[in-house]
Amino acid sequence: MKAVILVGGKGTRLLPLTCNTPKAIVPILNRPFLEHLLGYLKEHGVTDAILAMCYLPDPIQSCLGDGTQLGVRLTYLVEESPLGTAGAVKNAESYLNGPFLVLNGDTITEIDLTAMVKRHKEVKPKVSIALTPVDNPTLYGVVETDTRGLVQRFVEKPTWDKVTTNMINAGIYILEPEVLAHIPASTPSMFENYLFPRLLEIGEPILSYPSDAYWIDIGTPEKYLKANHDLLLQQVGRGIQAKGKSQFHPTAQIEGPVLIAEGCIIAEGAKLKGPVVLGPHCEIGKDAVVQGAVLWHHSRVGEKAILRNCVVCSHSYVEPGSHVPDNCVLGDSVTVASGNILDKGTQVWPDGYAESNETQP
Ligand code: GTP
């Protein structure tokens, strides 16, 4: 089965991480996000993927090439302007024959795709949709189903008194190719508010595949950080994993789970308290404390600076004595001046990017 992976969105909620890096290749445990997703697909025997791109397509293509290194075959399609989730799949129609998978390019999951495909083939609906439970359904589009698992209704962000289910669309679908006839070509449209309601209206069966397997989307900085923490715990346990050569001062203290890429320098008395991910060529200064943070490549933390549960993109510098507390996000190439104590949740954007208009300069 082929897969269409939707990676054309602007990733606005993930800004400023996505100022220069599309959401599809932000590093998770120091590997581009899509490598994880393609690895998951490969585990389920899917090795042929079409990447539906729009925003910042070039970095995605140069990062993954033709997929050979990952043991998959990649086809790239670029939309001139965003076609939305359904429009993007319509745009790939000529590459699709037979039933195919569609995945949002921002979820990490262990949903059993093999079992989902098996059930789709047994029941033969026009569409199967994976569902995942959430604690707060009022923030999402929920999917109501009947006792046979057939979808009855999509309800966007229900108020608490209208909540009938906590199952939401997990962003993984199996589609029969004939449903593409219901999507207008070269026109923006979405699955949730266009194609799926339309299929229900004309009586086409949509089957749900509910699963309580691990699922997270990396759509916001908080969830991006959580995805790194979860995967780190899962893959490194409580341990310390250093890839390639780095320098550790003998008085540095490191408590796992910690993942350190090549070329890092951890100075005298510095403390790393997991979960921590350091990208290539990061420097942690003397007596600095880094706890629960994810740093991208070439970022530096000055002497006695403190970082907690935050994300620091590439080439940034937290100068000596400054504090970067919970849920702060530093974009690429930013500096936190010496002794500066940021408020929780502060975002520092790269020069030339305005938080207000959320666009490239
Ligand atoms: P936000 O701007 O933060 O909402 O993020 P987003 O643009 O990624 O939108 P959203 O999270 O709703 O999108 C879900 C998935 O669909 C993501 O993997 C997006 O990359 C993808 N996507 C959204 N819109 C488009 C589009 O117009 N074209 C393509 N090819 N993919 C899209």
Side-chain angles (χ1 to χ4, degrees):
M1 201 177 261
K2 284 188 184 177
V4 180
I5 308 179
L6 298 165
V7 291
K10 209 160 164 207
T12 322
R13 289 165 299 141
L14 198 53
L15 285 164
L17 274 73
T18 41
C19 285
N20 305 306
T21 310
K23 182 159 64 171
I25 56 168
V26 293
I28 305 276
L29 302 195
N30 291 332
R31 285 169 57 212
F33 164 79
L34 270 180
E35 280 194 24
H36 296 269
L37 188 61
L38 291 166
Y40 162 73
L41 284 173
K42 206 173 149 200
E43 274 171 24
H44 290 281
V46 179
T47 53
D48 205 338
I50 298 160
L51 296 184
M53 310 188 290
C54 188
Y55 177 67
L56 295 179
D58 296 344
I60 300 179
Q61 200 159 350
S62 29
C63 175
L64 300 171
D66 64 3
T68 311
Q69 288 205 329
L70 301 169
V72 293
R73 208 173 78 113
L74 299 178
T75 305
Y76 295 96
L77 294 180
V78 186
E79 294 145 43
E80 276 176 26
S81 61
L83 289 173
T85 47
V89 174
K90 176 75 177 179
N91 194 41
E93 189 166 14
S94 59
Y95 295 84
L96 301 165
N97 40 34
F100 59 92
L101 277 156
V102 176
L103 294 100
N104 278 354
D106 62 357
T107 37
I108 293 184
T109 182
E110 286 168 10
I111 290 175
D112 187 345
L113 270 189
T114 308
M116 181 173 168
V117 170
K118 185 166 172 268
R119 187 152 155 73
H120 182 87
K121 287 184 174 163
E122 280 163 10
V123 180
K124 299 188 172 55
K126 291 290 184 227
V127 173
S128 288
I129 303 184
L131 305 184
T132 186
V134 289
D135 292 336
N136 185 354
T138 64
L139 302 175
Y140 298 87
V142 300
V143 183
E144 293 178 355
T145 54
D146 67 12
T147 48
R148 296 164 301 166
L150 291 172
V151 174
Q152 300 300 300
R153 211 156 65 108
F154 295 87
V155 186
E156 202 45 42
K157 297 190 180 141
T159 50
W160 274 112
D161 58 321
K162 300 262 164 54
V163 169
T164 52
T165 171
N166 67 340
M167 299 304 279
I168 65 158
N169 176 351
I172 301 178
Y173 320 115
I174 302 166
L175 266 62
E176 291 297 320
E178 55 265 35
V179 302
L180 295 175
H182 298 286
I183 308 174
S186 315
T187 311
S189 69
M190 306 292 281
F191 283 119
E192 309 81 328
N193 58 19
Y194 181 82
L195 180 70
F196 295 156
R198 187 162 160 71
L199 291 177
L200 289 183
E201 247 169 60
I202 58 174
E204 295 287 17
I206 300 182
L207 181 68
S208 63
Y209 184 79
S211 168
D212 57 9
Y214 181 80
W215 180 92
I216 192 169
D217 76 86
I218 57 160
T220 62
E222 292 74 24
K223 288 195 274 179
Y224 168 80
L225 192 60
K226 184 168 185 330
N228 273 280
H229 288 178
D230 289 350
L231 260 69
L232 193 59
L233 260 175
Q234 190 199 79
Q235 295 184 14
V236 180
R238 293 276 158 200
I240 298 160
Q241 206 176 86
K243 301 243 162 115
K245 274 200 170 158
S246 285
Q247 296 173 35
F248 300 91
H249 193 277
T251 60
Q253 296 175 29
I254 306 183
E255 289 168 25
V258 169
L259 176 66
I260 301 175
E262 76 278 3
C264 292
I265 301 174
I266 320 294
E268 185 182 348
K271 290 194 179 75
L272 299 183
K273 296 184 181 178
V276 166
V277 181
L278 299 186
H281 307 286
C282 285
E283 293 180 25
I284 310 300
K286 188 169 175 246
D287 297 324
V289 177
V290 175
Q291 178 172 17
V294 172
L295 277 67
W296 295 8
H297 62 97
H298 294 95
S299 278
R300 291 180 296 146
V301 177
E303 187 173 331
K304 294 192 176 148
I306 300 177
L307 273 66
R308 277 191 220 287
N309 299 318
C310 58
V311 183
V312 179
C313 296
S314 63
H315 295 280
S316 285
Y317 184 24
V318 179
E319 290 189 348
S322 41
H323 290 197
V324 182
D326 290 354
N327 296 321
C328 285
V329 185
L330 310 184
D332 296 313
S333 307
V334 304
T335 301
V336 177
S338 188
N340 213 336
I341 299 181
L342 299 184
D343 290 333
K344 285 185 181 175
T346 303
Q347 296 194 347
V348 186
W349 288 43
D351 275 352
Y353 288 84
E355 196 163 348
S356 52
N357 63 14
E358 296 169 345
T359 53
Q360 285 179 267

